[in-house]
Amino acid sequence: MKDIITIGDAMITLDPSHKGPMRYSSSFERKAGGAEFNFAIGCSRLGLRTGWISRLGNDEFGRYIFNFARGEGIDMSAVHLMNGYPTSLNFKEVMEDGTGRTFYYRENSPVSTLTDKDLDEAYIKDSKVLHITGVFTAIDYKKNKLLIKRAVEIAKNNGVIVSLDPNIRLKLWTKEQARETLVEFLPYVDILLTGVDEAEVLFDTSEPSQIVEQSKVHGIETVAIKEGEKGAIGYHQGEWYKATPVPPKKVVDTVGAGDGFDAGFIYGFLEGFPLDKTLRFANTIGSMVVSVYGDNEGLPYLDEVLTHLGEKELIER
Ligand SMILES: O=C(O)C(=O)C[C@H](O)[C@H](O)COP(=O)(O)O
């Protein structure tokens, strides 16, 4: 039995050695990233039994990501290396304040070869939560919409909880395409984990009560609205909670905070934490991620989160 599975892409992520505009970056460090991949790492580090459905290139980069994910304890039985589809690349630009841009080289991503025939019902059934995001969908939105719909149908028919992070990347599709596609998933979703700007695309509002009202129309009873440095707002079956931000030691790289938040929220949900504790836990992870350079390097292990929350003593030496 797995606690959580996710479907999606991973890329070689090239992090610049120096901060500032990428056009002046002449050296990069080879790392790995990707929304669903980061999320899977975050879950696995918290101790959740995590599976990932994906495709990587049958190349050196694909092997590197495969081994990295396996080393993180992710179940790799549904990840395959494909000939003829090079592993995707993502170059990052990081500015002095930790914000930045990403530049994708992911046309013909290996993950675009997935079809609904690849969705193993037994694999999905054997999990408590299926986590989907807009990133994978956007890679080939017409085809992947059908694939994700098939996956969430299997999940629903088998009592598997579905969580969605819209993760809207406007370099991959337009707001209209994102809205039209993601709205079709909402009737299958149990937990919505969204940024305010993404909720605005989906529901035409950034007002939390409206976001929740609109989610409830689709039967979604658990919503987390991520507000970055302002914290997060949560709703669960009639109960509201606003989590104040957890100030990071220092913001060095904001990428990956949302994926880390998602992993923390799902962990809290599966552990049966009350809403306030779940949100604080998820927020803490987001804050820890932005203090470390890289998309997933800052994703903490469970004891590190507990130490950060003051629930576990830190023994340094
Ligand atoms: O897969 C993609 O397209 C990406 O952009 C990879 C990024 O590493 C994460 O998606 C980070 O996302 P946040 O946690 O929202 O900062």
Side-chain angles (χ1 to χ4, degrees):
M1 181 88 189
K2 291 175 292 304
D3 294 305
I4 178 121
I5 58 170
T6 186
I7 306 176
D9 204 9
M11 302 167 287
I12 288 294
T13 296
L14 292 131
D15 270 7
S17 317
H18 300 288
K19 293 193 167 181
M22 202 186 84
R23 72 186 79 103
Y24 302 114
S25 301
S26 51
S27 58
F28 294 84
E29 196 177 340
R30 189 274 328 262
K31 296 183 174 182
E36 298 90 4
F37 172 74
N38 297 337
F39 171 80
I41 293 172
C43 289
S44 190
R45 286 194 193 159
L46 293 173
L48 297 177
R49 292 160 298 177
T50 306
W52 180 34
I53 300 174
S54 189
R55 296 272 185 272
L56 297 162
N58 190 12
D59 49 29
E60 287 300 304
F61 286 156
R63 285 181 202 122
Y64 164 69
I65 297 175
F66 192 97
N67 292 341
F68 179 7
R70 188 163 51 186
E72 291 289 343
I74 296 167
D75 175 70
M76 298 299 283
S77 58
V79 181
H80 301 287
L81 301 178
M82 300 301 293
N83 289 322
Y85 288 85
T87 299
S88 304
L89 303 178
N90 176 26
F91 285 83
K92 270 172 76 178
E93 175 186 77
V94 185
M95 306 309 264
E96 284 302 330
D97 64 357
T99 61
R101 296 183 292 176
T102 57
F103 299 90
Y104 297 130
Y105 293 80
R106 66 194 316 183
E107 289 77 30
N108 288 322
S109 158
V111 92
S112 65
T113 63
L114 279 169
T115 70
D116 61 351
K117 291 194 192 71
D118 298 303
L119 297 173
D120 179 4
E121 189 159 346
Y123 194 78
I124 297 175
K125 245 163 103 168
D126 185 41
S127 165
K128 294 181 190 161
V129 180
L130 167 67
H131 181 71
I132 55 171
T133 97
V135 175
F136 168 66
T137 318
I139 287 172
D140 184 347
Y141 75 95
K142 288 188 182 144
K143 181 176 84 60
N144 290 350
K145 176 175 84 174
L146 300 177
L147 190 64
I148 290 291
K149 277 182 101 170
R150 177 75 196 120
V152 293
E153 258 164 34
I154 297 174
K156 287 281 93 174
N157 291 340
N158 291 285
V160 176
I161 290 160
V162 174
S163 59
L164 166 71
D165 183 338
N167 255 338
I168 298 172
R169 303 281 181 263
L170 293 176
K171 286 197 174 179
L172 299 176
W173 56 357
T174 65
K175 283 185 185 175
E176 292 69 34
Q177 290 165 343
R179 175 210 280 259
E180 212 175 275
T181 309
L182 295 173
V183 160
E184 288 197 37
F185 301 156
L186 296 178
Y188 301 91
V189 171
D190 300 291
I191 305 174
L192 177 66
L193 305 161
T194 181
V196 193
D197 47 342
E198 292 163 336
E200 178 117 38
V201 174
L202 287 184
F203 302 128
D204 252 339
T205 177
S206 53
E207 173 53 48
S209 60
Q210 289 299 317
I211 295 171
V212 166
E213 276 317 307
Q214 300 244 24
S215 303
K216 281 163 73 179
V217 168
H218 297 280
I220 303 170
E221 283 293 334
T222 307
V223 181
I225 304 165
K226 300 180 254 184
E227 297 191 311
E229 70 273 19
K230 292 202 223 126
I233 295 175
Y235 172 87
H236 177 63
Q237 295 174 351
E239 186 194 345
W240 285 88
Y241 184 73
K242 178 160 176 43
T244 49
V246 178
K249 280 188 194 146
K250 187 179 178 207
V251 179
V252 298
D253 180 0
T254 57
V255 177
D259 301 332
F261 178 99
D262 293 354
F265 194 94
I266 297 296
Y267 178 85
F269 183 87
L270 285 173
E271 285 293 303
F273 289 175
L275 180 63
D276 56 343
K277 188 171 173 189
T278 303
L279 274 186
R280 277 200 303 275
F281 192 90
N283 251 351
T284 301
I285 296 182
S287 155
M288 293 172 86
V289 170
V290 302
S291 316
V292 179
Y293 197 44
D295 295 12
N296 47 54
E297 284 79 345
L299 289 165
Y301 287 86
L302 182 59
D303 57 350
E304 294 172 321
V305 191
L306 296 178
T307 302
H308 211 280
L309 284 165
E311 290 180 22
K312 202 172 171 194
E313 194 191 349
L314 172 67
I315 300 173
E316 281 189 315
R317 26 192 331 183

